[in-house]
Amino acid sequence: MNILILGSGGREHALAWAIRQNPKCDRLIVARGNAGIAAIARCASLAIEDGSAVVAFCEEHAIDLVVIGPEAPLAAGVADSLRTAGIAVFGPSRAAAMLESSKAFTKEICDACGAPTAAWARFTDAPSARAHVRASGAPIVIKADGLAGGKGVTVAMSETEALQAVDAAFGGAFGAAGAEVVIEAFMTGEEASFFVLCDGTTCLPIGTAQDHKRVGEGDTGPNTGGMGAYSPAPVLTPAVQAQVMERIVEPTIAEMSRRGTPFQGVLYVGLMIENAEARLVEYNVRFGDPECQVLMMRLGAQVLDLIQACAEGRLHEVGVTWADDHALTVELAATGYPGDYVKGTVIRGLEELPETATQMMFHAGTTEASGQTLATGGRVLAATGRGATLAEARDRAYALVDAVDWPQGFCRRDIGWRALRSEA
Ligand code: GLY
């Protein structure tokens, strides 16, 4: 089977690493890829948000299956173009991708199917939104309705912060994504993510994870795309997972199908859990980054069989082989991230690292130039370990971190702290 993966981050390196191990995979191309992906697949230059360009590329290279990594091509309708051209694709249609590309849409779906979530209201002008904030008080959550590269959500602990977030959105800070604002009640509890494959009809849970969004140790400082993650998430016990399937995932999938926009792909279910009761925080319509790294580390080669069955509407025919193991990933980021960060610095020591089923350095923002690996992004490497316990997985991940020579990089040293405390 010839496979094309769209994307160039740590998520796509992890997908490529797992897919490459499956004997069914003949040719693997990743557009655009990175220095780590280039070691296991062909990297290609392609306008990944242009459906016609992606279809033409697939026809030219006899691609049998396309795996779409990030949300932007999904929101742009690339999966629709591929399906129309008769090419198997893992990823939802543009209409179904609205579960991520519009916060208000997701809230409407929750209301329609009874999925538990925070109380909410939507606004298209600043004065009404400001009045709502004043009437509700803080803490309160302000969300730009559209895709804002992970920057559109403010969990405001004061009324002043909430009003500033409203003004920023309507002032154009997120472009068209902030033309509408959703304001939600603040939820307390512990956040965790649940990943479910859906082929429009059948839903298959494939794992749980928790990430660390804040840049600083102790979960402090500004938000990032994620400084590390681990799987499984202890708070998502089998009973809570069953509850989430029954009250949130299955009703949502049924509602999407009822509207004529079935969801096909991976549903990333962001949850708040308190006293073993789960409420929906948000949906994403793709794997998380860095959550994908820990999921791929645990699932391995079977991921291709699962993704293929999902793309072909055959999820009812397959199952997941679970191992009673743990995985943990630590992001190495460039100094300055998540603000302005240094670019083009040299990373040494990568060639000597082990690449095994229990230790893998996934690349995100890297490129190869004149035989050297250069850091090109904010989040640059994801040091990932797997073990019989979370502590063992953590030790393997940090052993990779410590073997890399990159003075301009940094990482958090406390990834997994909450789960490790309960493991001890
Ligand atoms: N790690 C969060 C995300 O991928 O959206």
Side-chain angles (χ1 to χ4, degrees):
M1 191 188 317
N2 295 334
I3 299 160
L4 171 66
I5 300 176
L6 303 184
S8 55
R11 167 181 48 210
E12 288 75 25
H13 189 185
L15 283 165
W17 174 80
I19 286 172
R20 179 86 268 177
Q21 291 171 45
N22 191 306
K24 269 197 224 162
C25 175
D26 295 316
R27 197 141 50 95
L28 181 61
I29 306 179
V30 183
R32 130 182 84 76
N34 58 40
I37 294 173
I40 55 168
R42 189 186 137 198
C43 292
S45 172
L46 174 61
I48 67 166
E49 291 171 36
D50 178 342
S52 308
V54 175
V55 168
F57 184 93
C58 290
E59 285 168 350
E60 190 186 336
H61 295 87
I63 297 295
D64 302 299
L65 172 67
V66 180
V67 179
I68 303 182
E71 61 276 22
L74 296 166
V78 170
D80 306 70
S81 303
L82 287 161
R83 285 197 182 95
T84 302
I87 299 164
V89 55
F90 178 72
S93 66
R94 180 187 190 145
M98 281 182 72
L99 285 173
E100 177 164 358
S101 63
S102 170
K103 310 281 187 227
F105 175 81
T106 294
K107 288 295 200 178
E108 278 175 7
I109 293 283
C110 287
D111 287 354
C113 72
T117 187
W120 68 290
R122 66 199 299 175
F123 300 92
T124 50
D125 66 276
S128 326
R130 289 176 67 92
H132 183 81
V133 167
R134 288 215 171 87
S136 308
I140 194 164
V141 181
I142 314 296
K143 296 182 172 177
D145 180 65
L147 294 179
K151 299 190 174 73
V153 177
T154 303
V155 180
M157 299 314 288
S158 69
E159 199 175 297
T160 308
E161 196 187 352
L163 293 172
Q164 281 167 355
V166 165
D167 291 344
F170 287 115
F174 311 115
E180 183 163 350
V181 164
V182 168
I183 302 186
E184 292 183 14
F186 176 79
M187 287 191 276
T188 52
E190 188 173 338
E191 273 195 76
S193 312
F194 188 38
F195 295 85
V196 183
L197 298 186
C198 311
D199 64 6
T201 314
T202 304
C203 299
L204 181 68
I206 59 161
T208 64
Q210 279 176 292
D211 75 344
H212 293 269
K213 292 195 171 63
R214 305 278 182 169
V215 74
E217 281 163 19
D219 295 320
T220 54
N223 263 327
T224 69
M227 293 301 290
Y230 51 94
S231 172
V235 69
L236 276 169
T237 60
V240 176
Q241 289 182 44
Q243 179 200 109
V244 172
M245 289 301 290
E246 189 192 330
R247 296 187 193 166
I248 299 178
V249 176
E250 280 160 3
T252 297
I253 294 304
E255 178 64 18
M256 293 300 286
S257 295
R258 196 189 64 73
R259 293 179 180 219
T261 53
F263 184 90
Q264 292 162 286
V266 60
L267 192 62
Y268 165 150
V269 188
L271 297 161
M272 187 69 81
I273 298 125
E274 191 173 41
N275 301 324
E277 294 283 323
R279 286 186 287 170
L280 183 75
V281 175
E282 63 176 7
Y283 283 129
N284 293 310
V285 298
R286 36 81 194 173
F287 284 111
D289 189 341
E291 293 92 330
C292 189
Q293 286 83 314
V294 285
L295 291 173
M296 293 306 119
M297 202 76 189
R298 295 185 65 213
L299 291 166
Q302 66 178 315
V303 158
L304 177 56
D305 303 315
L306 299 173
I307 281 178
Q308 186 190 6
C310 186
E312 294 173 357
R314 295 186 293 101
L315 266 185
H316 59 281
E317 292 177 7
V318 296
V320 184
T321 305
W322 301 99
D324 187 14
D325 60 0
H326 298 256
L328 183 145
T329 191
V330 180
E331 289 283 344
L332 281 140
T335 301
Y337 177 80
D340 285 342
Y341 51 82
V342 293
K343 288 193 190 120
T345 54
V346 180
I347 308 168
R348 294 190 178 83
L350 292 168
E351 304 73 28
E352 290 87 51
L353 296 183
E355 293 197 354
T356 67
T358 57
Q359 274 185 308
M360 188 61 209
M361 182 65 92
F362 294 116
H363 288 225
T366 64
T367 192
E368 204 71 32
S370 312
Q372 293 188 309
T373 306
L374 305 181
T376 53
R379 289 185 300 166
V380 172
L381 296 164
T384 310
R386 181 170 150 233
T389 61
L390 187 59
E392 190 175 43
R394 175 208 47 200
D395 292 347
R396 288 181 173 148
Y398 279 110
L400 290 176
V401 169
D402 293 335
V404 170
D405 176 11
W406 183 34
Q408 296 84 2
F410 75 97
C411 70
R412 277 181 60 169
R413 284 275 161 189
D414 65 344
I415 298 303
W417 67 268
R418 192 193 295 266
L420 285 159
R421 197 177 51 187
S422 56
E423 189 176 77

